[in-house]
PDB file of all heavy atoms in Angstrom:
ATOM      1  N   ASP P   1       7.027  -5.375   1.572  1.00 97.00           N
ATOM      2  CA  ASP P   1       7.697  -6.203   0.501  1.00 97.00           C
ATOM      3  C   ASP P   1       6.977  -7.492   0.340  1.00 97.00           C
ATOM      4  O   ASP P   1       6.806  -8.410   1.147  1.00 97.00           O
ATOM      5  CB  ASP P   1       9.148  -6.446   0.894  1.00 97.00           C
ATOM      6  CG  ASP P   1      10.009  -5.191   0.732  1.00 97.00           C
ATOM      7  OD1 ASP P   1       9.567  -4.162   0.352  1.00 97.00           O
ATOM      8  OD2 ASP P   1      11.211  -5.368   1.243  1.00 97.00           O
ATOM      9  N   GLY P   2       6.644  -7.681  -0.942  1.00 97.00           N
ATOM     10  CA  GLY P   2       6.026  -9.086  -1.305  1.00 97.00           C
ATOM     11  C   GLY P   2       4.611  -9.170  -0.872  1.00 97.00           C
ATOM     12  O   GLY P   2       4.055 -10.352  -1.147  1.00 97.00           O
ATOM     13  N   PHE P   3       3.979  -8.206  -0.173  1.00 98.00           N
ATOM     14  CA  PHE P   3       2.650  -8.370   0.174  1.00 98.00           C
ATOM     15  C   PHE P   3       1.719  -8.417  -1.009  1.00 98.00           C
ATOM     16  O   PHE P   3       1.925  -7.762  -2.033  1.00 98.00           O
ATOM     17  CB  PHE P   3       2.133  -7.119   1.042  1.00 98.00           C
ATOM     18  CG  PHE P   3       2.560  -7.328   2.569  1.00 98.00           C
ATOM     19  CD1 PHE P   3       3.815  -7.548   3.021  1.00 98.00           C
ATOM     20  CD2 PHE P   3       1.512  -7.291   3.423  1.00 98.00           C
ATOM     21  CE1 PHE P   3       4.097  -7.702   4.275  1.00 98.00           C
ATOM     22  CE2 PHE P   3       1.666  -7.398   4.880  1.00 98.00           C
ATOM     23  CZ  PHE P   3       3.009  -7.578   5.282  1.00 98.00           C
ATOM     24  N   ILE P   4       0.603  -9.247  -0.853  1.00 97.00           N
ATOM     25  CA  ILE P   4      -0.359  -9.323  -1.901  1.00 97.00           C
ATOM     26  C   ILE P   4      -1.707  -8.593  -1.408  1.00 97.00           C
ATOM     27  O   ILE P   4      -2.068  -8.896  -0.317  1.00 97.00           O
ATOM     28  CB  ILE P   4      -0.701 -10.794  -2.275  1.00 97.00           C
ATOM     29  CG1 ILE P   4       0.561 -11.369  -2.878  1.00 97.00           C
ATOM     30  CG2 ILE P   4      -1.823 -10.808  -3.269  1.00 97.00           C
ATOM     31  CD1 ILE P   4       0.490 -12.882  -2.997  1.00 97.00           C
ATOM     32  N   PHE P   5      -2.294  -7.759  -2.247  1.00 97.00           N
ATOM     33  CA  PHE P   5      -3.513  -7.060  -1.960  1.00 97.00           C
ATOM     34  C   PHE P   5      -4.556  -7.495  -2.987  1.00 97.00           C
ATOM     35  O   PHE P   5      -4.567  -6.919  -4.088  1.00 97.00           O
ATOM     36  CB  PHE P   5      -3.245  -5.579  -1.987  1.00 97.00           C
ATOM     37  CG  PHE P   5      -2.259  -4.993  -1.127  1.00 97.00           C
ATOM     38  CD1 PHE P   5      -0.830  -4.916  -1.477  1.00 97.00           C
ATOM     39  CD2 PHE P   5      -2.651  -4.573   0.106  1.00 97.00           C
ATOM     40  CE1 PHE P   5      -0.076  -4.303  -0.547  1.00 97.00           C
ATOM     41  CE2 PHE P   5      -1.707  -4.048   1.058  1.00 97.00           C
ATOM     42  CZ  PHE P   5      -0.358  -3.977   0.693  1.00 97.00           C
ATOM     43  N   PRO P   6      -5.306  -8.574  -2.618  1.00 96.00           N
ATOM     44  CA  PRO P   6      -6.334  -9.050  -3.483  1.00 96.00           C
ATOM     45  C   PRO P   6      -7.612  -8.334  -3.626  1.00 96.00           C
ATOM     46  O   PRO P   6      -8.418  -8.582  -4.354  1.00 96.00           O
ATOM     47  CB  PRO P   6      -6.501 -10.563  -2.956  1.00 96.00           C
ATOM     48  CG  PRO P   6      -6.430 -10.290  -1.443  1.00 96.00           C
ATOM     49  CD  PRO P   6      -5.289  -9.362  -1.319  1.00 96.00           C
ATOM     50  N   VAL P   7      -7.714  -7.278  -2.741  1.00 95.00           N
ATOM     51  CA  VAL P   7      -8.861  -6.369  -2.694  1.00 95.00           C
ATOM     52  C   VAL P   7      -8.591  -4.980  -2.731  1.00 95.00           C
ATOM     53  O   VAL P   7      -7.233  -4.668  -2.601  1.00 95.00           O
ATOM     54  CB  VAL P   7      -9.724  -6.682  -1.419  1.00 95.00           C
ATOM     55  CG1 VAL P   7     -10.262  -8.099  -1.373  1.00 95.00           C
ATOM     56  CG2 VAL P   7      -8.766  -6.478  -0.113  1.00 95.00           C
ATOM     57  N   PRO P   8      -9.373  -4.082  -3.103  1.00 96.00           N
ATOM     58  CA  PRO P   8      -8.968  -2.611  -3.028  1.00 96.00           C
ATOM     59  C   PRO P   8      -8.327  -2.240  -1.747  1.00 96.00           C
ATOM     60  O   PRO P   8      -8.816  -2.676  -0.635  1.00 96.00           O
ATOM     61  CB  PRO P   8     -10.327  -1.923  -3.216  1.00 96.00           C
ATOM     62  CG  PRO P   8     -11.249  -2.899  -4.016  1.00 96.00           C
ATOM     63  CD  PRO P   8     -10.758  -4.192  -3.370  1.00 96.00           C
ATOM     64  N   VAL P   9      -7.406  -1.263  -1.864  1.00 97.00           N
ATOM     65  CA  VAL P   9      -6.709  -0.798  -0.627  1.00 97.00           C
ATOM     66  C   VAL P   9      -6.525   0.748  -0.625  1.00 97.00           C
ATOM     67  O   VAL P   9      -6.221   1.273  -1.637  1.00 97.00           O
ATOM     68  CB  VAL P   9      -5.335  -1.647  -0.488  1.00 97.00           C
ATOM     69  CG1 VAL P   9      -4.416  -1.278  -1.638  1.00 97.00           C
ATOM     70  CG2 VAL P   9      -4.638  -1.148   0.797  1.00 97.00           C
ATOM     71  N   LEU P  10      -6.802   1.352   0.465  1.00 98.00           N
ATOM     72  CA  LEU P  10      -6.756   2.812   0.670  1.00 98.00           C
ATOM     73  C   LEU P  10      -5.705   3.163   1.734  1.00 98.00           C
ATOM     74  O   LEU P  10      -5.694   2.562   2.733  1.00 98.00           O
ATOM     75  CB  LEU P  10      -7.954   3.364   1.044  1.00 98.00           C
ATOM     76  CG  LEU P  10      -9.252   2.977   0.052  1.00 98.00           C
ATOM     77  CD1 LEU P  10     -10.468   3.555   0.737  1.00 98.00           C
ATOM     78  CD2 LEU P  10      -9.037   3.418  -1.248  1.00 98.00           C
ATOM     79  N   PHE P  11      -4.783   4.081   1.283  1.00 98.00           N
ATOM     80  CA  PHE P  11      -3.814   4.697   2.207  1.00 98.00           C
ATOM     81  C   PHE P  11      -4.072   6.220   2.285  1.00 98.00           C
ATOM     82  O   PHE P  11      -3.149   6.926   2.369  1.00 98.00           O
ATOM     83  CB  PHE P  11      -2.409   4.316   1.791  1.00 98.00           C
ATOM     84  CG  PHE P  11      -1.946   2.843   1.956  1.00 98.00           C
ATOM     85  CD1 PHE P  11      -2.185   2.079   0.983  1.00 98.00           C
ATOM     86  CD2 PHE P  11      -1.384   2.486   3.173  1.00 98.00           C
ATOM     87  CE1 PHE P  11      -1.824   0.636   1.033  1.00 98.00           C
ATOM     88  CE2 PHE P  11      -0.979   1.191   3.343  1.00 98.00           C
ATOM     89  CZ  PHE P  11      -1.124   0.263   2.288  1.00 98.00           C
ATOM     90  N   ARG P  12      -5.281   6.687   2.104  1.00 98.00           N
ATOM     91  CA  ARG P  12      -5.466   8.089   2.073  1.00 98.00           C
ATOM     92  C   ARG P  12      -5.134   8.701   3.343  1.00 98.00           C
ATOM     93  O   ARG P  12      -5.602   8.315   4.455  1.00 98.00           O
ATOM     94  CB  ARG P  12      -7.029   8.311   1.749  1.00 98.00           C
ATOM     95  CG  ARG P  12      -7.392   7.873   0.305  1.00 98.00           C
ATOM     96  CD  ARG P  12      -8.905   7.922   0.200  1.00 98.00           C
ATOM     97  NE  ARG P  12      -9.313   7.475  -1.201  1.00 98.00           N
ATOM     98  CZ  ARG P  12     -10.601   7.103  -1.476  1.00 98.00           C
ATOM     99  NH1 ARG P  12     -11.482   7.130  -0.529  1.00 98.00           N
ATOM    100  NH2 ARG P  12     -10.828   6.784  -2.683  1.00 98.00           N
ATOM    101  N   LYS P  13      -4.320   9.754   3.255  1.00 97.00           N
ATOM    102  CA  LYS P  13      -3.855  10.631   4.390  1.00 97.00           C
ATOM    103  C   LYS P  13      -3.159   9.676   5.435  1.00 97.00           C
ATOM    104  O   LYS P  13      -3.080  10.166   6.634  1.00 97.00           O
ATOM    105  CB  LYS P  13      -5.046  11.317   5.108  1.00 97.00           C
ATOM    106  CG  LYS P  13      -5.682  12.297   4.205  1.00 97.00           C
ATOM    107  CD  LYS P  13      -6.818  13.055   4.973  1.00 97.00           C
ATOM    108  CE  LYS P  13      -7.413  14.198   4.069  1.00 97.00           C
ATOM    109  NZ  LYS P  13      -8.368  14.927   4.842  1.00 97.00           N
ATOM    110  N   SER P  14      -2.636   8.590   4.988  1.00 97.00           N
ATOM    111  CA  SER P  14      -1.752   7.803   5.923  1.00 97.00           C
ATOM    112  C   SER P  14      -0.422   8.548   6.095  1.00 97.00           C
ATOM    113  O   SER P  14       0.037   9.235   5.165  1.00 97.00           O
ATOM    114  CB  SER P  14      -1.557   6.405   5.376  1.00 97.00           C
ATOM    115  OG  SER P  14      -2.765   5.702   5.285  1.00 97.00           O
ATOM    116  N   ARG P  15       0.171   8.200   7.157  1.00 96.00           N
ATOM    117  CA  ARG P  15       1.456   8.959   7.440  1.00 96.00           C
ATOM    118  C   ARG P  15       2.474   7.784   7.788  1.00 96.00           C
ATOM    119  O   ARG P  15       2.391   7.003   8.658  1.00 96.00           O
ATOM    120  CB  ARG P  15       1.355   9.889   8.696  1.00 96.00           C
ATOM    121  CG  ARG P  15       2.613  10.612   9.003  1.00 96.00           C
ATOM    122  CD  ARG P  15       2.354  11.482  10.199  1.00 96.00           C
ATOM    123  NE  ARG P  15       3.640  12.022  10.686  1.00 96.00           N
ATOM    124  CZ  ARG P  15       4.175  13.267  10.420  1.00 96.00           C
ATOM    125  NH1 ARG P  15       3.585  13.990   9.514  1.00 96.00           N
ATOM    126  NH2 ARG P  15       5.391  13.668  10.896  1.00 96.00           N
ATOM    127  N   PHE P  16       3.627   7.760   6.933  1.00 94.00           N
ATOM    128  CA  PHE P  16       4.616   6.792   7.123  1.00 94.00           C
ATOM    129  C   PHE P  16       5.765   7.412   7.731  1.00 94.00           C
ATOM    130  O   PHE P  16       6.591   8.222   7.079  1.00 94.00           O
ATOM    131  CB  PHE P  16       4.928   6.182   5.741  1.00 94.00           C
ATOM    132  CG  PHE P  16       3.923   5.498   5.041  1.00 94.00           C
ATOM    133  CD1 PHE P  16       2.968   6.171   4.276  1.00 94.00           C
ATOM    134  CD2 PHE P  16       3.700   4.139   5.249  1.00 94.00           C
ATOM    135  CE1 PHE P  16       1.928   5.503   3.580  1.00 94.00           C
ATOM    136  CE2 PHE P  16       2.651   3.420   4.556  1.00 94.00           C
ATOM    137  CZ  PHE P  16       1.764   4.082   3.836  1.00 94.00           C
ATOM    138  N   ASN P  17       6.060   7.233   8.965  1.00 90.00           N
ATOM    139  CA  ASN P  17       7.232   7.699   9.695  1.00 90.00           C
ATOM    140  C   ASN P  17       8.297   6.679   9.490  1.00 90.00           C
ATOM    141  O   ASN P  17       8.246   5.738   8.644  1.00 90.00           O
ATOM    142  CB  ASN P  17       6.850   7.882  11.161  1.00 90.00           C
ATOM    143  CG  ASN P  17       5.813   8.893  11.381  1.00 90.00           C
ATOM    144  OD1 ASN P  17       5.836   9.943  10.823  1.00 90.00           O
ATOM    145  ND2 ASN P  17       4.798   8.530  12.082  1.00 90.00           N
ATOM    146  N   GLY P  18       9.328   6.691  10.334  1.00 80.00           N
ATOM    147  CA  GLY P  18      10.407   5.691  10.254  1.00 80.00           C
ATOM    148  C   GLY P  18      11.525   5.959   9.319  1.00 80.00           C
ATOM    149  O   GLY P  18      11.598   7.097   8.735  1.00 80.00           O
ATOM    150  N   ALA P  19      12.358   5.011   9.031  1.00 85.00           N
ATOM    151  CA  ALA P  19      13.619   5.106   8.138  1.00 85.00           C
ATOM    152  C   ALA P  19      13.353   5.047   6.723  1.00 85.00           C
ATOM    153  O   ALA P  19      14.128   5.237   5.921  1.00 85.00           O
ATOM    154  CB  ALA P  19      14.654   4.253   8.645  1.00 85.00           C
ATOM    155  N   GLY P  20      12.099   4.606   6.319  1.00 92.00           N
ATOM    156  CA  GLY P  20      11.755   4.523   4.962  1.00 92.00           C
ATOM    157  C   GLY P  20      10.518   3.534   4.775  1.00 92.00           C
ATOM    158  O   GLY P  20      10.038   3.002   5.816  1.00 92.00           O
ATOM    159  N   VAL P  21      10.055   3.462   3.546  1.00 95.00           N
ATOM    160  CA  VAL P  21       8.878   2.640   3.242  1.00 95.00           C
ATOM    161  C   VAL P  21       9.264   1.829   2.101  1.00 95.00           C
ATOM    162  O   VAL P  21       9.792   2.312   1.087  1.00 95.00           O
ATOM    163  CB  VAL P  21       7.666   3.470   3.011  1.00 95.00           C
ATOM    164  CG1 VAL P  21       6.443   2.702   2.685  1.00 95.00           C
ATOM    165  CG2 VAL P  21       7.446   4.529   4.106  1.00 95.00           C
ATOM    166  N   SER P  22       8.880   0.498   2.034  1.00 97.00           N
ATOM    167  CA  SER P  22       9.219  -0.387   0.988  1.00 97.00           C
ATOM    168  C   SER P  22       7.961  -1.260   0.599  1.00 97.00           C
ATOM    169  O   SER P  22       7.398  -1.900   1.551  1.00 97.00           O
ATOM    170  CB  SER P  22      10.425  -1.238   1.276  1.00 97.00           C
ATOM    171  OG  SER P  22      10.745  -2.075   0.186  1.00 97.00           O
ATOM    172  N   PHE P  23       7.600  -1.157  -0.563  1.00 98.00           N
ATOM    173  CA  PHE P  23       6.633  -2.025  -1.285  1.00 98.00           C
ATOM    174  C   PHE P  23       7.230  -2.840  -2.310  1.00 98.00           C
ATOM    175  O   PHE P  23       6.567  -3.117  -3.300  1.00 98.00           O
ATOM    176  CB  PHE P  23       5.387  -1.235  -1.807  1.00 98.00           C
ATOM    177  CG  PHE P  23       4.442  -0.590  -0.781  1.00 98.00           C
ATOM    178  CD1 PHE P  23       4.769   0.579  -0.088  1.00 98.00           C
ATOM    179  CD2 PHE P  23       3.181  -1.284  -0.428  1.00 98.00           C
ATOM    180  CE1 PHE P  23       3.958   1.034   0.819  1.00 98.00           C
ATOM    181  CE2 PHE P  23       2.350  -0.801   0.432  1.00 98.00           C
ATOM    182  CZ  PHE P  23       2.729   0.394   1.108  1.00 98.00           C
ATOM    183  N   ARG P  24       8.488  -3.179  -2.284  1.00 98.00           N
ATOM    184  CA  ARG P  24       9.121  -3.955  -3.383  1.00 98.00           C
ATOM    185  C   ARG P  24       8.433  -5.336  -3.603  1.00 98.00           C
ATOM    186  O   ARG P  24       8.246  -6.034  -2.713  1.00 98.00           O
ATOM    187  CB  ARG P  24      10.637  -4.101  -3.042  1.00 98.00           C
ATOM    188  CG  ARG P  24      11.539  -2.962  -2.950  1.00 98.00           C
ATOM    189  CD  ARG P  24      12.949  -3.236  -2.506  1.00 98.00           C
ATOM    190  NE  ARG P  24      13.570  -4.186  -3.499  1.00 98.00           N
ATOM    191  CZ  ARG P  24      14.185  -3.708  -4.623  1.00 98.00           C
ATOM    192  NH1 ARG P  24      14.349  -2.499  -4.935  1.00 98.00           N
ATOM    193  NH2 ARG P  24      14.700  -4.693  -5.539  1.00 98.00           N
ATOM    194  N   GLY P  25       8.204  -5.533  -4.947  1.00 97.00           N
ATOM    195  CA  GLY P  25       7.551  -6.773  -5.320  1.00 97.00           C
ATOM    196  C   GLY P  25       6.078  -6.940  -4.743  1.00 97.00           C
ATOM    197  O   GLY P  25       5.521  -8.058  -4.936  1.00 97.00           O
ATOM    198  N   ALA P  26       5.435  -5.968  -4.196  1.00 98.00           N
ATOM    199  CA  ALA P  26       4.069  -6.052  -3.831  1.00 98.00           C
ATOM    200  C   ALA P  26       3.132  -6.161  -5.027  1.00 98.00           C
ATOM    201  O   ALA P  26       3.533  -5.675  -6.095  1.00 98.00           O
ATOM    202  CB  ALA P  26       3.691  -4.897  -2.935  1.00 98.00           C
ATOM    203  N   SER P  27       2.011  -6.873  -4.839  1.00 97.00           N
ATOM    204  CA  SER P  27       0.996  -7.026  -5.918  1.00 97.00           C
ATOM    205  C   SER P  27      -0.253  -6.532  -5.482  1.00 97.00           C
ATOM    206  O   SER P  27      -0.904  -6.922  -4.585  1.00 97.00           O
ATOM    207  CB  SER P  27       1.010  -8.560  -6.269  1.00 97.00           C
ATOM    208  OG  SER P  27       0.116  -8.778  -7.340  1.00 97.00           O
ATOM    209  N   PHE P  28      -0.696  -5.537  -6.237  1.00 97.00           N
ATOM    210  CA  PHE P  28      -2.091  -4.900  -6.000  1.00 97.00           C
ATOM    211  C   PHE P  28      -2.975  -5.381  -7.035  1.00 97.00           C
ATOM    212  O   PHE P  28      -2.930  -5.094  -8.294  1.00 97.00           O
ATOM    213  CB  PHE P  28      -1.945  -3.411  -6.092  1.00 97.00           C
ATOM    214  CG  PHE P  28      -1.000  -2.721  -5.088  1.00 97.00           C
ATOM    215  CD1 PHE P  28       0.339  -2.619  -5.359  1.00 97.00           C
ATOM    216  CD2 PHE P  28      -1.441  -2.397  -3.827  1.00 97.00           C
ATOM    217  CE1 PHE P  28       1.214  -2.023  -4.365  1.00 97.00           C
ATOM    218  CE2 PHE P  28      -0.717  -1.738  -2.877  1.00 97.00           C
ATOM    219  CZ  PHE P  28       0.633  -1.607  -3.167  1.00 97.00           C
ATOM    220  N   ASP P  29      -3.770  -6.442  -6.669  1.00 96.00           N
ATOM    221  CA  ASP P  29      -4.688  -7.198  -7.683  1.00 96.00           C
ATOM    222  C   ASP P  29      -5.920  -6.546  -7.902  1.00 96.00           C
ATOM    223  O   ASP P  29      -6.583  -7.097  -8.852  1.00 96.00           O
ATOM    224  CB  ASP P  29      -4.828  -8.606  -7.154  1.00 96.00           C
ATOM    225  CG  ASP P  29      -3.340  -9.308  -7.101  1.00 96.00           C
ATOM    226  OD1 ASP P  29      -2.427  -8.857  -7.559  1.00 96.00           O
ATOM    227  OD2 ASP P  29      -3.285 -10.344  -6.325  1.00 96.00           O
ATOM    228  N   ALA P  30      -6.447  -5.681  -7.168  1.00 93.00           N
ATOM    229  CA  ALA P  30      -7.801  -5.119  -7.336  1.00 93.00           C
ATOM    230  C   ALA P  30      -7.761  -3.597  -7.030  1.00 93.00           C
ATOM    231  O   ALA P  30      -6.891  -3.063  -6.305  1.00 93.00           O
ATOM    232  CB  ALA P  30      -8.790  -5.753  -6.364  1.00 93.00           C
ATOM    233  N   GLY P  31      -8.697  -2.881  -7.586  1.00 88.00           N
ATOM    234  CA  GLY P  31      -8.660  -1.415  -7.469  1.00 88.00           C
ATOM    235  C   GLY P  31      -9.952  -0.930  -6.874  1.00 88.00           C
ATOM    236  O   GLY P  31     -10.900  -1.679  -6.773  1.00 88.00           O
ATOM    237  N   PRO P  32     -10.016   0.311  -6.418  1.00 92.00           N
ATOM    238  CA  PRO P  32      -8.830   1.316  -6.536  1.00 92.00           C
ATOM    239  C   PRO P  32      -7.720   1.079  -5.503  1.00 92.00           C
ATOM    240  O   PRO P  32      -7.921   0.419  -4.529  1.00 92.00           O
ATOM    241  CB  PRO P  32      -9.500   2.671  -6.413  1.00 92.00           C
ATOM    242  CG  PRO P  32     -10.554   2.328  -5.430  1.00 92.00           C
ATOM    243  CD  PRO P  32     -11.169   0.918  -5.949  1.00 92.00           C
ATOM    244  N   VAL P  33      -6.549   1.575  -5.906  1.00 97.00           N
ATOM    245  CA  VAL P  33      -5.410   1.664  -4.993  1.00 97.00           C
ATOM    246  C   VAL P  33      -5.106   3.108  -4.795  1.00 97.00           C
ATOM    247  O   VAL P  33      -4.760   3.809  -5.788  1.00 97.00           O
ATOM    248  CB  VAL P  33      -4.209   0.937  -5.505  1.00 97.00           C
ATOM    249  CG1 VAL P  33      -3.057   1.176  -4.525  1.00 97.00           C
ATOM    250  CG2 VAL P  33      -4.401  -0.526  -5.730  1.00 97.00           C
ATOM    251  N   SER P  34      -5.285   3.728  -3.480  1.00 97.00           N
ATOM    252  CA  SER P  34      -5.230   5.195  -3.432  1.00 97.00           C
ATOM    253  C   SER P  34      -4.161   5.430  -2.268  1.00 97.00           C
ATOM    254  O   SER P  34      -4.400   4.958  -1.063  1.00 97.00           O
ATOM    255  CB  SER P  34      -6.506   5.713  -3.183  1.00 97.00           C
ATOM    256  OG  SER P  34      -6.396   7.152  -2.905  1.00 97.00           O
ATOM    257  N   PHE P  35      -3.207   6.239  -2.541  1.00 98.00           N
ATOM    258  CA  PHE P  35      -2.326   6.936  -1.653  1.00 98.00           C
ATOM    259  C   PHE P  35      -2.551   8.446  -1.636  1.00 98.00           C
ATOM    260  O   PHE P  35      -1.641   9.170  -1.336  1.00 98.00           O
ATOM    261  CB  PHE P  35      -0.834   6.618  -1.935  1.00 98.00           C
ATOM    262  CG  PHE P  35      -0.424   5.169  -1.667  1.00 98.00           C
ATOM    263  CD1 PHE P  35      -0.611   4.180  -2.630  1.00 98.00           C
ATOM    264  CD2 PHE P  35       0.343   4.896  -0.573  1.00 98.00           C
ATOM    265  CE1 PHE P  35      -0.202   2.870  -2.432  1.00 98.00           C
ATOM    266  CE2 PHE P  35       0.658   3.631  -0.318  1.00 98.00           C
ATOM    267  CZ  PHE P  35       0.377   2.562  -1.244  1.00 98.00           C
TER     268      PHE P  35
END
C-alpha cells in the first residue's frame, strides 16, 4: 500500500501466499510493469 515504484518492476512467476495482497494507492511510475 502506497509504495512508489520509480523504475520498471517485474513480478513474473511470483507467488503471493498469505491472507491477501494489497497494492492500494501504489504508484508505478516507469514501465514495464509485469505480473
Side-chain angles (χ1 to χ4, degrees):
D1 289 351
F3 271 60
I4 297 173
F5 299 89
V7 294
V9 59
L10 305 178
F11 289 90
R12 292 172 181 160
K13 295 185 178 180
S14 296
R15 180 180 171 91
F16 296 89
N17 301 309
V21 184
S22 184
F23 284 84
R24 291 180 63 90
S27 182
F28 298 87
D29 298 345
V33 177
S34 179
F35 287 84

